[in-house]
Amino acid sequence: MSDLWRRCLERLESELSTEELHTWLMPLQAREDGEGLQLYAPNPYTLDAVRERYLGRIQTLLGQLGGDHLGVRLEVGSSSPRPAPGKPAAAGRAATPAAAEAPAPAFAHNLDPHYTFETFVEGKSNQLGKAAAMQVAMNPGRAYNPLLLYGGTGLGKTHLMHAAGNLMRERDPGCKVLYLRSEQFVGAMIEALRTKSMDEFKRRFRSVDALLIDDIQFFAGKDTTQEEFFHTFNALFESKQQIILTCDRYPKEVDKLEPRLKSRLGWGLSVAIEPPDFETRAAILLAKAQEKGVAVSEDVAMLLAKRIRSNVRDLEGALNTLAARANFYGRPITTAFAEETLRDLLATHAQAVTVPNIQKTVADYYQVRLQDLLSKRRVRSLARPRQIAMALSKELTEHSLPEIGEAFGGRDHTTVLHACRTIRKLCEADARMRQDWEQLIRILTG
Amino acid sequence: MIPQLPLALRWPRRQRFEHFHPGANAAALAAARMLAETPGAPWIYLHGPAGAGRSHLLLAACQAASAAGRRAQYLPLAAIADRAAAIRGVAGGELLALDDLGAIAGDRAAEHALFDLYNQTRAEGGALLFAADAPPAQLGLELPDLRSRLGACTQFALKPLDDAERREVLRAQAAARGIELDDAVLDWLFARYARDMGALLDLLDRLDQASLAAQRRVTVPFLREWLRGAGP
């Protein structure tokens, strides 16, 4: 233990607020030697903050406590290096100088081994995406390049991306697959600019067989990053190295993304990942329960799948919450237990979706006035949105047909029933309609 | 090599697991304990009204994790000015406890920093523990990517102790200090101190010293006299 540092902290404790102390100084690790203190910050942000605000004071205290000859040095790192198993200086840490200075390791894979095609639950909403990702994994650089998976948060895009990478590695163990979240790409680039090592940066990203970048919507507005990514993209594309990207919406709809980059993104295949339908949600729950070793009946899975429509993470959260309580109280997970345990959680999901809420959202979506939507007028520009709003009310709330009819300006329940049937048929026949429908569900339940 | 400073010594003494009176929150207590002590345990999101014990559990988890040799950090977001920088500053720990999460709702930079922190911590095998006054969907977050990630945590709605449980806690805490509080004293305290357990326990500490110094038992007359005179 560094006695010197402890005495320093004791003095600082009386000078600083608890918040300051816990945020910036407690995380430091200290090593003491004949020349003074070596302090290790967990990351560059802490390092900067400590250097700016506290280093002078620490130096003064050190002089008082141990003598004027003592100095204090500050760097990013740890007093006891603790490399995570299987992740030697992974790409994500490249933003820290300590990692950048380390000798180049053998190619470090950072794919999550749990995300495979076997563990991916397929349904109507995602089968195209899965098929495309498999194609790409079987023929990297040749099937579709780039492959772009887009859709709302928590629908399985990252899972498919890792699954493709894992399959590539399984088929060709020498294959170099690099996965990055978009902010890691940004961080690595900023760090390369700062340390004037752009050549190394370029080499690193262009020497892989497949580059996987998650959530590229966060490139929006970052011009230098887009520029560099554009060149990386071109280099990989020309030499037939595979690129897989995800985005939270169709890239053409992302604001502040350069037109030339948008156009490149469209060169390969873009596949939408839709929110899972009821059957898929239930299947996902059962699969996750099995993976976690939680005994969940089909009834319970159906209960949760019916009530939680937003995304897979919310389903997982509900399952975790249920499992923790059942485990603690030693009770089996029955539907009654689930209803009781998740009352609050399910209520938050139900709360957002009310009939007035649906009416307002649909009116906004089709840019008609709410008053007109609820009126008796039958022009097509109003009738279709009105039918959609009715069908959504049936789909997303527990209200009966007569109740819904009443809420739409006192219409008959057969009118509501007719609307539901019409919209269902249209969704099957018309891709545009289906897209609107999915989008509205996403807005209402997201 | 010089071993790391034992930070466990420095966490607040009162907010520890052994001082947490579970009441209706026993399952949350067990889960927080597991998260603090077991790498790989499910991440937790606690929500409930002020005084329900959110900060207590977060600090206790940090203390327990530190005691187990893990690197833990507590970040009270409502008390921090530059939240985005603070969130970016905590990256790299093994247990990160973020309190008053509602404070970042609508702060785009801070929400984004937390989104990054979540992803990075997951990739590095660390653990996150959140507390807020509302469930994830009702925090008013702008970044859907963050909201959905928080939704994947194991969630517990914390319930504040009821009056009987508060009396029990206070009585036990007093007994630990060698003070016997009878019902009259408890009634008197509860009537004057808005049921804030933190304030009551602080008072108890000072009362303990006062009664020692005065060599007197704690009774209502003594309390009254002490509060009027040299009191807190």
Side-chain angles (χ1 to χ4, degrees):
Chain A
M1 173 202 322
S2 166
D3 189 47
L4 200 53
W5 178 234
R6 194 184 54 197
R7 287 186 311 174
C8 253
L9 276 180
E10 276 165 9
R11 297 282 290 270
L12 288 166
E13 204 167 17
S14 59
E15 300 171 9
L16 303 174
S17 73
T18 316
E19 285 80 28
E20 280 181 284
L21 204 68
H22 278 288
T23 307
W24 304 117
L25 297 173
M26 293 308 221
L28 301 178
Q29 293 184 328
R31 199 198 308 212
E32 188 179 336
D33 55 34
E35 293 168 8
L37 272 183
Q38 172 73 55
L39 295 178
Y40 296 94
N43 56 59
Y45 293 97
T46 307
L47 180 108
D48 288 344
V50 172
R51 181 186 289 142
E52 213 171 279
R53 304 178 205 175
Y54 311 111
L55 201 60
R57 182 63 189 145
I58 293 172
Q59 181 66 62
T60 311
L61 282 175
L62 210 56
Q64 292 170 5
L65 293 167
D68 286 335
H69 63 289
L70 294 179
V72 51
R73 284 152 296 144
L74 187 61
E75 67 177 86
V76 173
S78 167
S79 64
S80 50
R82 174 187 55 88
K87 285 184 185 157
R93 303 302 313 237
T96 67
E101 282 156 22
F107 190 81
H109 288 280
N110 54 356
L111 293 170
D112 187 326
H114 300 100
Y115 288 148
T116 63
F117 287 114
E118 286 75 36
T119 56
F120 188 80
V121 178
E122 187 178 336
K124 262 189 234 150
S125 57
N126 59 27
Q127 59 193 8
L128 267 179
K130 182 186 173 190
M134 277 185 106
Q135 278 293 318
V136 161
M138 307 279 221
N139 304 288
R142 271 177 272 276
Y144 309 110
N145 207 14
L147 172 64
L148 188 126
L149 304 166
Y150 68 95
T153 178
L155 301 181
K157 303 186 298 290
T158 302
H159 188 141
L160 280 178
M161 189 180 225
H162 280 271
N166 280 320
L167 184 57
M168 281 181 220
R169 298 254 305 132
E170 193 185 311
R171 293 169 57 87
D172 173 10
C175 183
K176 291 193 222 166
V177 182
L178 182 60
Y179 165 84
L180 288 166
R181 300 184 305 276
S182 61
E183 97 269 3
Q184 291 177 307
F185 186 87
V186 178
M189 196 197 66
I190 292 172
E191 189 58 25
L193 285 173
R194 198 176 70 83
T195 57
K196 302 195 170 48
S197 54
M198 276 310 282
D199 287 347
E200 158 65 21
F201 174 88
K202 288 184 170 53
R203 197 154 42 80
R204 184 165 140 232
F205 287 100
R206 294 174 194 186
S207 65
V208 297
D209 296 304
L211 179 63
L212 283 42
I213 300 191
D214 217 348
D215 286 327
I216 58 162
Q217 71 272 16
F218 294 125
F219 284 167
K222 299 192 170 82
D223 295 344
T224 323
T225 304
Q226 288 184 33
E227 168 92 23
E228 195 46 49
F229 177 67
F230 179 76
H231 294 306
T232 306
F233 183 101
N234 288 341
L236 292 171
F237 184 84
E238 274 156 29
S239 45
K240 291 201 167 19
Q241 289 143 291
Q242 181 67 47
I243 304 158
I244 308 181
L245 307 168
T246 72
C247 190
D248 72 345
R249 71 205 83 167
Y250 191 56
K252 290 216 161 57
E253 293 167 14
V254 180
D255 290 338
K256 296 184 189 159
L257 211 54
E258 274 190 58
R260 60 175 184 168
L261 187 53
K262 283 188 190 177
S263 106
R264 288 290 192 291
L265 298 176
W267 280 0
L269 179 68
S270 302
V271 189
I273 309 291
E274 306 283 355
D277 55 20
F278 170 73
E279 285 78 14
T280 313
R281 290 199 297 274
I284 289 172
L285 255 168
L286 289 169
K288 289 215 179 275
Q290 194 179 20
E291 184 191 313
K292 293 171 198 280
V294 182
V296 166
S297 68
E298 277 192 29
D299 287 347
V300 171
M302 275 158 65
L303 169 76
L304 298 189
K306 180 154 171 52
R307 306 280 284 275
I308 302 172
R309 307 157 167 277
S310 45
N311 61 58
V312 178
R313 290 201 186 96
D314 283 333
L315 284 174
E316 187 165 7
L319 180 65
N320 285 339
T321 302
L322 210 48
R325 297 233 173 217
N327 196 20
F328 182 76
Y329 293 111
R331 287 178 55 185
I333 303 177
T334 59
T335 47
F337 181 78
E339 289 263 19
E340 178 197 325
T341 305
L342 299 178
R343 200 182 317 131
D344 294 347
L345 197 144
L346 293 175
T348 66
H349 284 276
Q351 222 167 44
V353 194
T354 60
V355 173
N357 193 343
I358 291 170
Q359 291 168 336
K360 167 140 194 356
T361 305
V362 171
D364 289 349
Y365 188 85
Y366 288 103
Q367 298 179 345
V368 299
R369 296 195 317 163
L370 184 58
Q371 203 181 332
D372 293 337
L373 190 81
L374 304 182
S375 72
K376 302 273 178 202
R377 293 174 55 200
R378 293 201 188 167
V379 289
R380 202 181 169 81
S381 62
L382 290 175
R384 192 67 84 219
R386 188 182 294 136
Q387 285 180 320
I388 292 177
M390 287 182 186
L392 282 167
S393 302
K394 182 68 195 133
E395 175 82 15
L396 299 178
T397 73
E398 304 284 327
H399 290 293
S400 65
L401 294 173
E403 282 168 352
I404 294 170
E406 189 54 41
F408 280 81
R411 287 180 159 79
D412 193 69
H413 78 276
T414 52
T415 311
V416 182
L417 188 63
H418 175 69
C420 295
R421 288 184 179 148
T422 308
I423 298 302
R424 192 177 319 136
K425 267 189 219 138
L426 278 172
C427 280
E428 278 164 21
D430 179 357
R432 179 68 210 249
M433 182 71 211
R434 191 165 55 241
Q435 219 170 12
D436 286 351
W437 174 260
E438 302 283 4
Q439 181 69 21
L440 279 163
I441 290 199
R442 210 159 28 218
I443 294 169
L444 286 161
T445 58
Chain B
M1 168 160 313
I2 300 149
Q4 193 188 338
L5 183 73
L7 290 179
L9 291 175
R10 313 190 64 89
W11 293 99
R13 216 169 280 281
R14 192 169 287 145
Q15 282 89 5
R16 304 218 166 158
F17 283 136
E18 61 266 33
H19 301 145
F20 186 82
H21 189 88
N25 304 313
L29 171 64
R33 210 185 259 278
M34 179 142 119
L35 184 66
E37 289 162 3
T38 325
W43 294 4
I44 297 172
Y45 185 105
L46 304 170
H47 60 93
R54 298 177 313 206
S55 304
H56 186 146
L57 280 181
L58 261 53
L59 285 164
C62 286
Q63 187 273 332
S66 292
R70 302 172 75 199
R71 211 161 152 170
Q73 240 182 301
Y74 172 75
L75 204 57
L77 290 165
I80 288 169
D82 187 351
R83 301 187 176 110
I87 292 170
R88 296 206 181 274
V90 295
E94 285 159 278
L95 175 71
L96 305 174
L98 288 95
D99 207 350
D100 297 316
L101 209 53
I104 68 161
D107 177 345
R108 195 86 191 153
E111 287 193 25
H112 208 108
L114 185 56
F115 170 73
D116 290 346
L117 177 68
Y118 187 105
N119 291 328
Q120 188 185 341
T121 310
R122 178 120 290 177
E124 290 173 356
L128 291 179
L129 172 55
F130 302 99
D133 52 13
Q138 289 168 9
L139 277 187
L141 297 171
E142 278 182 13
L143 197 61
D145 311 78
L146 175 61
R147 200 210 66 67
S148 79
R149 277 166 177 74
L150 296 176
C153 297
T154 303
Q155 295 175 34
F156 293 96
L158 295 182
K159 308 263 186 303
L161 298 178
D162 61 28
D163 280 357
E165 288 166 333
R166 279 163 202 275
R167 292 175 88 94
E168 212 31 67
V169 172
L170 209 57
R171 207 192 294 270
Q173 288 286 329
R177 293 168 175 77
I179 308 174
E180 219 173 295
L181 293 185
D182 60 25
D183 282 337
V185 174
L186 280 171
D187 287 342
W188 199 89
L189 280 174
F190 274 116
R192 277 158 190 78
Y193 284 83
R195 293 157 164 68
D196 177 346
M197 283 310 281
L200 279 172
L201 290 172
D202 282 341
L203 185 72
L204 206 57
D205 274 343
R206 294 192 300 271
L207 190 56
D208 184 20
Q209 288 166 1
S211 88
L212 267 177
Q215 299 278 313
R216 284 180 59 186
R217 242 165 29 86
V218 177
T219 56
V220 172
F222 173 75
L223 259 177
R224 198 174 286 145
E225 198 179 303
W226 173 61
L227 287 172
R228 208 171 26 220

